[in-house]
Amino acid sequence: MSSSMLDLLSFAVFIFFVQRLWIHFTVHRRFPLPPGPKGWPIIGNLFDLPKEKAYFTNRHTALTDSDLLYFNAAGTSMLILNSAEVANDLLVGRWKMYSDRPPLPMAYLAGVDFSFALLSYGDNWRKHRSLLKRELSPLHLPAYQKPQLQESMIKFLHNLLETPQQFESHVHLLFGGTLLSSAYGLSIEDPGDYYLMLVKEAMRAIGEVMIPGTYIVDIFPVLRYLPAWLPGVSFKKKAAQERVFIDGMIHETMSFVKKDMKNGMAKSSIASRQLQKMHDEGTWSEEEETVLRNLLASLYGAGTDTTAATTMNIILGFLLNPDSLKKGQAAVDAALGFDRLPNYGDEGKIPYVDAVVMEALRWQPVVPLSMNLLTIENADIYGGHYIPANTIVLENTWAILHDPATYGEDVDQFRPGRFLNPDGTLNNAVPYPSAAFGYGRRTCPGKSYAQSALWLTVASLLSCFDFSKPVNEKGEEIHLSVDYIDGLITHPSTFECIIRPRSKVVERLIRQKREQQVLS
Ligand code: HEM
């Protein structure tokens, strides 16, 4: 290294420490960091970070009078927001500073940088978001997505009738299959479908390269420039292996649509409609197609496990609180009678169904510690506390939705009735659990789609089936012991449930509808 380079480097180090000292003696004296456990030199709170159920632990570690909890994980600042008030103040009120995503070097090496959900906030993100809005806004749902969900629901109910013990797999097929059909026009008939396996493999790969703290390149990003043959750089080999599945999902699905469009056989889908629109309006370009392709590839991952896990929570809620099942069935029967299945024309007419959806989103939020949002360049001062630049901000959705002051003392129970007035109408004084979908600019763009999908699922399950706990050889109910599996999306561990059609009439209705569907 030349002496001028060394001089420059020494100067940069000098400036860095002067800046640190200045912050320490001026800013921190007036504005301390938010409360948090006292850390060790250099490693800070690295060993204080909860290894599992962080959302729960963070709420309970939060120091008395503050809803902020601060960790310094070996130099990386992390801030947990434990109340709706601070989440609103920062993520909504100061969205310009709190809408980014942190860099994920390992995930990028494996090709996950395609994902809309991980894009940095800016023009490219806006382009993706407005395209999605065209297809998933509440205004557009009735044209394409709702008829699609209605179709898939018949297949789902029929599957439950045939093999009720495989209900978990049927739930995944319902939401995954519908999204693949909506996005690409794919008809997914069974869990072994080629495209379904392709996206599932890609999801597994994405999950593996995004496990925090697993790959050294995530701690020292500069290592990504080293050649793969060097010792200690095996993460590059792993990234290349997983990239095959991830690229496969992005490209093969889109190739399927383009081939069918060329042959004039393409079914209506987001891909076919948007590609056709680009060609009709003369706006097609490689770049526009890439935006569409990457956006669509993000939907399965963001939309399947979230809705499926919420549905599993609903079934679990019915088992743990059979009274909610009885009340729900009575409400659906009163609105529909006994000679037809629910449809979207019934939306808004059965408050108990809305209450079940809201309660499931609140009771076990499937993203309990919402994704990371990062202050971009600037530090911030909030509530008398100094928040350093580049802080990873995590919103504790679980804590927000388990606040007894908002939802009552029995927040840990599944009780849809908390959202209802005594006369059975919706009680607007109890807030909708919107925190389940995030705050600010990065709030979930699939919210309306998810709500509609869950609404029809709940109405259909209540109308058609009975759910009960499994029994032992003496006919006694077996105690349900269900744990929650942490991950990008939290879901209940596998549990058993007895599912039976409520009547011969409903059984016949489902079979008739399915037969018509297969013949058409
Ligand atoms: C019960 C169902 C769902 C829940 C609870 C849920 C929740 C969330 C949450 C908490 C976020 C992060 C928000 C933030 O960063 O602050 C998110 C982002 C996202 N969700 Fe959902 N989601 C659901 C269903 C869906 C569906 C069905 C789709 C698509 C059809 C979808 C697409 C997305 C996308 C693309 C993002 C990334 C947005 C961005 O980064 O700008 N989600 N969702």
Side-chain angles (χ1 to χ4, degrees):
M1 202 183 287
S2 69
S3 67
S4 59
M5 277 287 277
L6 267 176
D7 289 348
L8 205 66
L9 199 67
S10 317
F11 184 65
V13 172
F14 173 73
I15 294 290
F16 174 79
F17 280 108
V18 169
Q19 209 181 23
R20 277 291 166 105
L21 285 173
W22 184 80
I23 290 176
H24 186 78
F25 285 109
T26 57
V27 185
H28 279 186
R29 282 231 167 127
R30 283 179 55 212
F31 303 108
L33 289 166
K38 199 165 165 19
W40 294 88
I42 305 179
I43 58 165
N45 307 113
L46 200 59
F47 297 118
D48 295 323
L49 294 175
K51 297 276 173 289
E52 53 179 28
K53 313 258 185 308
Y55 46 96
F56 182 77
T57 318
N58 286 332
R59 172 69 272 188
H60 292 274
T61 318
L63 304 176
T64 53
D65 58 345
S66 172
D67 288 323
L68 300 174
L69 181 61
Y70 182 83
F71 292 102
N72 164 5
T76 302
S77 298
M78 296 175 80
L79 182 67
I80 319 286
L81 312 181
N82 275 319
S83 77
E85 190 188 342
V86 294
N88 259 314
D89 285 353
L90 298 183
L91 307 181
V92 181
R94 303 183 189 181
W95 61 266
K96 277 193 184 157
M97 293 175 77
Y98 291 89
S99 296
D100 215 345
R101 296 288 197 224
L104 298 161
M106 178 63 181
Y108 296 165
L109 279 173
V112 187
D113 47 351
F114 79 87
S115 172
F116 163 57
L118 301 180
L119 281 184
S120 271
Y121 186 75
D123 285 344
N124 193 26
W125 173 85
R126 262 187 287 274
K127 215 179 220 185
H128 286 71
R129 184 95 182 185
S130 67
L131 208 162
L132 198 56
K133 220 169 155 188
R134 268 180 249 158
E135 292 282 347
L136 295 188
S137 77
L139 223 62
H140 292 102
L141 290 182
Y144 300 109
Q145 316 306 343
K146 285 188 176 177
Q148 184 65 61
L149 283 161
Q150 196 102 40
E151 278 287 297
S152 306
M153 194 55 64
I154 293 168
K155 206 187 310 173
F156 169 64
L157 296 176
H158 188 257
N159 283 343
L160 275 187
L161 212 54
E162 293 294 297
T163 46
Q165 63 285 7
Q166 291 168 23
F167 65 100
E168 188 169 357
S169 156
H170 300 327
V171 168
H172 274 89
L173 187 62
L174 165 66
F175 296 110
T178 312
L179 272 178
L180 289 179
S181 175
S182 294
Y184 307 106
L186 288 160
S187 301
I188 312 289
E189 284 297 324
D190 66 88
D193 178 276
Y194 173 75
Y195 288 99
L196 190 64
M197 298 308 280
L198 187 72
V199 290
K200 277 187 168 175
E201 248 331 92
M203 287 305 130
R204 181 208 48 77
I206 291 172
E208 289 217 3
V209 295
M210 285 182 66
I211 306 171
T214 304
Y215 304 99
I216 190 163
V217 67
D218 284 338
I219 300 163
F220 303 108
V222 70
L223 295 181
R224 69 182 183 276
Y225 299 113
L226 294 179
W229 50 263
L230 276 181
V233 191
S234 58
F235 61 83
K236 273 199 149 174
K237 200 169 152 212
K238 168 82 175 160
Q241 279 165 354
E242 301 299 9
R243 194 180 185 116
V244 174
F245 301 109
I246 296 165
D247 282 355
M249 168 181 75
I250 304 169
H251 295 282
E252 285 193 43
T253 42
M254 198 63 160
S255 301
F256 164 86
V257 182
K258 287 170 76 175
K259 195 172 107 226
D260 270 7
M261 283 179 80
K262 213 167 163 188
N263 301 335
M265 289 168 53
K267 283 193 189 159
S268 178
S269 65
I270 302 180
S272 67
R273 287 193 294 278
Q274 294 300 330
L275 278 174
Q276 193 59 53
K277 188 163 175 275
M278 286 179 206
H279 287 296
D280 293 347
E281 294 173 357
T283 53
W284 184 91
S285 68
E286 197 64 60
E287 196 196 335
E288 291 295 317
E289 188 175 313
T290 304
V291 169
L292 177 63
R293 191 173 56 219
N294 289 351
L295 181 70
L296 293 177
S298 314
L299 291 189
Y300 180 91
T304 301
D305 284 357
T306 42
T307 35
T310 307
T311 303
M312 294 304 287
N313 285 328
I314 289 168
I315 296 177
L316 188 58
F318 287 155
L319 294 185
L320 295 177
N321 177 2
D323 185 51
S324 66
L325 175 66
K326 292 274 161 296
K327 285 183 175 154
Q329 288 173 333
V332 171
D333 294 346
L336 261 65
F338 298 92
D339 56 352
R340 69 178 180 89
L341 300 178
N343 62 54
Y344 279 114
D346 303 311
E347 238 179 333
K349 295 178 188 161
I350 325 171
Y352 205 93
V353 173
D354 299 282
V356 169
V357 174
M358 289 193 266
E359 180 65 345
L361 292 167
R362 184 207 67 79
W363 177 53
Q364 297 293 350
V366 295
V367 190
L369 208 53
S370 195
M371 284 187 212
N372 310 351
L373 301 135
L374 187 75
T375 51
I376 310 171
E377 300 107 7
N378 303 313
D380 195 8
I381 305 284
Y382 175 73
H385 295 295
Y386 176 77
I387 303 173
N390 286 343
T391 294
I392 293 175
V393 179
L394 295 161
E395 154 209 335
N396 194 345
T397 307
W398 186 90
I400 293 169
L401 296 176
H402 283 240
D403 179 2
T406 313
Y407 293 106
E409 286 304 320
D410 61 346
V411 279
D412 293 336
Q413 309 299 317
F414 177 81
R415 186 173 64 82
R418 77 182 74 244
F419 290 98
L420 297 169
N421 291 312
D423 67 357
T425 54
L426 283 176
N427 180 356
N428 295 325
V430 183
Y432 182 88
S434 55
F437 294 101
Y439 285 83
R441 295 289 147 133
R442 303 303 290 247
T443 189
C444 175
K447 181 179 171 189
S448 303
Y449 176 94
Q451 283 168 319
S452 287
L454 291 170
W455 182 89
L456 189 63
T457 308
V458 171
S460 306
L461 290 178
L462 287 172
S463 156
C464 300
F465 292 99
D466 266 324
F467 302 85
S468 53
K469 288 181 192 165
V471 288
N472 61 20
E473 49 298 342
K474 290 187 203 150
E476 297 157 343
E477 277 191 349
I478 297 173
H479 173 70
L480 267 186
S481 146
V482 178
D483 196 11
Y484 274 81
I485 317 283
D486 273 353
L488 284 179
I489 292 158
T490 300
H491 59 93
S493 56
T494 298
F495 60 91
E496 277 183 68
C497 170
I498 297 177
I499 303 179
R500 291 197 190 92
R502 288 181 66 202
S503 67
K504 287 277 168 221
V505 178
V506 94
E507 194 174 334
R508 202 175 54 243
L509 270 173
I510 297 172
R511 291 196 191 285
Q512 268 171 2
K513 285 270 179 197
R514 179 62 182 153
E515 233 171 78
Q516 287 163 6
Q517 191 178 50
V518 173
L519 290 174
S520 67

